[in-house]
Amino acid sequence: MKCLCLIVFLAFVITQSYNDLEVEAASSDGFVSRKGVQFILNGEPFYANGFNAYWLMYEATDPNTRYKVTHALENAAGQGLTIARTWGFRDGGYRALQTNLGSYDEQTFQGLDFAIAEAKRVGIKMIIAFVNNFPDFGGKKQYMAWAKDKGQAVTSEDDFYTNALLKQAYMNHVKTVLNRVNTFTKVAYKDEPTIMAWELMNEPQCRADTSGKTLTAWISEMASYVKSLDSKHLLSTGSEGFYGQSTPQRMTSLNPVAANIVGSDFIANHNIDAIDFASVHSYPDTWFPKLDEKSLLDYLRKNLAGHIEDAQNVLKKPLILGEFGKPSNAPGYTQAQRDAVFTTAFDIIYASAQKGGAAAGALFWHLISDDMSNFRDAYSISLSEKSSTITIIGQQSRKMNLIGRKRKSGRKQNLIF
């Protein structure tokens, strides 16, 4: 009898655990939308903590390595992370998605299918970028090479923004991705609520026109095109958030000097109706290699505060810190330094979110799974490797996830971690 009771009890516990998982998954089933400076999910404010994992499609292309995607997403969900940012491109090269203009590899596409399906299963939303500014995974450089093969007289990678064939090629890629029907979920990407948002490009720049007008015009045109095909999903730029000539005082106070020639304009690039939220990336170690740790943290605070202020008061849209981190190969690096960067960024984001402000979340760069030496670098973090940074990540996730619930219930909650 005791044995039977134990079996019945264990069956109840297992069933209850599955029910809890289903409730959690159901809570993330809807489309994320925007109301003013807030994201909305299932009728309540949506605040998030997340990560970058640009490699998801690449590893999922091979069925033998898909377990890495599964483990990474399950570990992320276990830490309360709710957004994964990844690439929806691999232009040319090994395991290419787009093997030539308009030609796609089905096995690689199924890799992206799998990544989306796994994110759906564990309740993680996705932000997916359409192309890269840089030559990694193809990018504008590969498009230019393809254009030359077609007899186009292109001379600069920035012809990507103005050449008619290249603009059409980009739009064709967007259309192909949006209309893709997932082989695992049987849902078209444009109808998939697991996808929170699209990004026009990863870190768009146009050095050929430092005024920012060329890039802003391209963003406006392509954002309207994306929305004409997909009105269900949010859209952003994928920008680093460098200021431009529309706000010269911000260029002086917040831009690294080198950023003043990249042709981007944080305000102009995001002050477009079809762009739903603002994007900013922050890498003080790269931009100011000679600064000491205190000065780097001071800049991080100042830069984030400025962008949040402008998202709140000028753009009147939510803002996501789309990339940030601390490289382990920085001179004199310690774990405490990485902890300080994460704590500083998280505290600024949380302070805004707690007041209903524009800062909606931060996505660290970058998450890897176990057994991934090919993607391990100075920024990579594996959640299965216990560290103080991972504890900080989990705490931020719980705090951000609770904000929406508190606002829905209208009750004051004391958050103790």
Side-chain angles (χ1 to χ4, degrees):
M1 179 61 72
K2 289 182 178 179
C3 182
L4 178 60
C5 290
L6 179 60
I7 291 172
V8 172
F9 174 73
L10 289 174
F12 170 78
V13 170
I14 291 170
T15 301
Q16 190 63 39
S17 296
Y18 279 119
N19 288 341
D20 290 344
L21 286 173
E22 288 170 3
V23 169
E24 191 65 30
S27 70
S28 64
D29 278 349
F31 285 93
V32 178
S33 60
R34 176 177 74 90
K35 183 178 181 181
V37 298
Q38 293 183 327
F39 292 128
I40 304 295
L41 175 61
N42 297 326
E44 64 183 83
F46 176 61
Y47 297 94
N49 200 27
F51 59 93
N52 285 267
Y54 64 94
W55 49 268
L56 292 177
M57 177 174 63
Y58 178 91
E59 289 293 346
T61 296
D62 181 356
N64 293 320
T65 58
R66 285 179 179 168
Y67 72 91
K68 298 178 182 179
V69 173
T70 297
H71 288 173
L73 293 176
E74 288 180 345
N75 286 340
Q79 290 290 338
L81 294 161
T82 50
I83 297 178
R85 179 172 177 261
T86 195
W87 298 165
F89 60 85
R90 188 170 180 84
D91 306 308
Y94 181 59
R95 293 189 185 179
L97 174 62
Q98 189 172 194
T99 57
N100 207 329
L101 285 181
S103 298
Y104 291 83
D105 185 274
E106 176 60 22
Q107 186 173 348
T108 302
F109 235 143
Q110 288 185 18
L112 186 54
D113 291 348
F114 180 82
I116 294 170
E118 284 294 270
K120 184 184 187 79
R121 182 179 65 84
V122 301
I124 289 177
K125 297 293 186 184
M126 301 187 81
I127 296 176
I128 302 176
F130 288 124
V131 73
N132 203 2
N133 176 70
F134 305 103
D136 308 81
F137 300 93
K140 293 189 304 184
K141 183 177 182 179
Q142 180 60 67
Y143 274 84
M144 187 177 73
W146 284 333
K148 286 182 176 179
D149 290 343
K150 297 284 187 180
Q152 296 291 301
V154 290
T155 58
S156 163
E157 290 181 22
D158 289 336
D159 288 338
F160 183 88
Y161 301 113
T162 56
N163 178 271
L165 183 144
L166 288 172
K167 290 202 293 183
Q168 188 60 54
Y170 174 84
M171 290 189 286
N172 291 345
H173 174 65
V174 167
K175 185 176 182 179
T176 298
V177 172
L178 295 180
N179 288 330
R180 169 73 177 182
V181 176
N182 192 308
T183 54
F184 294 92
T185 66
K186 312 305 180 186
V187 177
Y189 286 13
K190 65 183 178 183
D191 298 321
E192 176 54 71
T194 296
I195 298 170
M196 171 181 168
W198 305 106
E199 286 184 344
L200 294 177
M201 180 182 288
N202 174 54
E203 300 188 341
Q205 298 180 3
C206 182
R207 294 169 184 260
D209 179 8
T210 58
S211 74
K213 293 180 180 178
T214 296
L215 185 56
T216 299
W218 182 86
I219 290 172
S220 181
E221 180 181 0
M222 296 308 162
S224 295
Y225 177 74
V226 173
K227 288 291 189 174
S228 74
L229 300 179
D230 179 2
S231 60
K232 296 179 180 179
H233 288 105
L234 300 174
L235 180 66
S236 193
T237 60
S239 169
E240 294 154 292
F242 296 136
Y243 286 91
Q245 293 183 9
S246 67
T247 50
Q249 72 282 4
R250 288 296 204 197
M251 289 180 70
T252 302
S253 62
L254 293 181
N255 275 6
V257 174
N260 293 333
I261 62 168
V262 301
S264 65
D265 187 320
F266 175 72
I267 298 299
N269 295 165
H270 293 99
N271 200 18
I272 294 168
D273 288 344
I275 296 298
D276 296 298
F277 63 96
S279 165
V280 60
H281 299 174
S282 191
Y283 290 108
D285 288 273
T286 300
W287 301 336
F288 307 103
K290 295 182 179 180
L291 290 185
D292 58 33
E293 287 301 310
K294 181 182 181 301
S295 299
L296 291 172
L297 288 175
D298 287 343
Y299 173 80
L300 175 61
R301 292 187 190 95
K302 181 180 178 182
N303 190 40
L304 283 183
H307 282 85
I308 292 170
E309 178 184 353
D310 289 339
Q312 178 89 30
N313 300 325
V314 180
L315 299 173
K316 304 184 189 308
K317 297 177 181 182
L319 176 138
I320 284 185
L321 175 56
E323 293 184 20
F324 77 100
K326 177 70 178 181
S328 59
N329 60 357
Y333 169 83
T334 65
Q335 185 71 44
Q337 292 175 353
R338 176 172 281 181
D339 290 351
V341 168
F342 276 66
T343 298
T344 299
F346 285 160
D347 285 352
I348 294 170
I349 296 293
Y350 180 72
S352 171
Q354 191 179 34
K355 296 181 294 185
L363 317 179
F364 70 82
W365 185 273
H366 65 107
L367 177 70
I368 62 170
S369 188
D370 299 331
D371 189 27
M372 283 188 64
S373 57
N374 52 332
F375 287 99
R376 186 178 295 275
D377 60 26
Y379 285 94
S380 58
I381 293 176
S382 172
L383 295 176
S384 62
E385 299 172 358
K386 303 303 181 185
S387 74
S388 50
T389 304
I390 293 170
T391 299
I392 293 167
I393 291 170
Q395 290 173 343
Q396 177 75 355
S397 297
R398 290 188 288 275
K399 289 165 65 177
M400 295 294 284
N401 290 337
L402 281 171
I403 293 176
R405 298 177 192 176
K406 181 174 71 171
R407 292 191 178 280
K408 183 179 182 181
S409 67
R411 296 192 304 269
K412 181 178 180 180
Q413 298 181 14
N414 294 316
L415 306 180
I416 301 174
F417 299 94

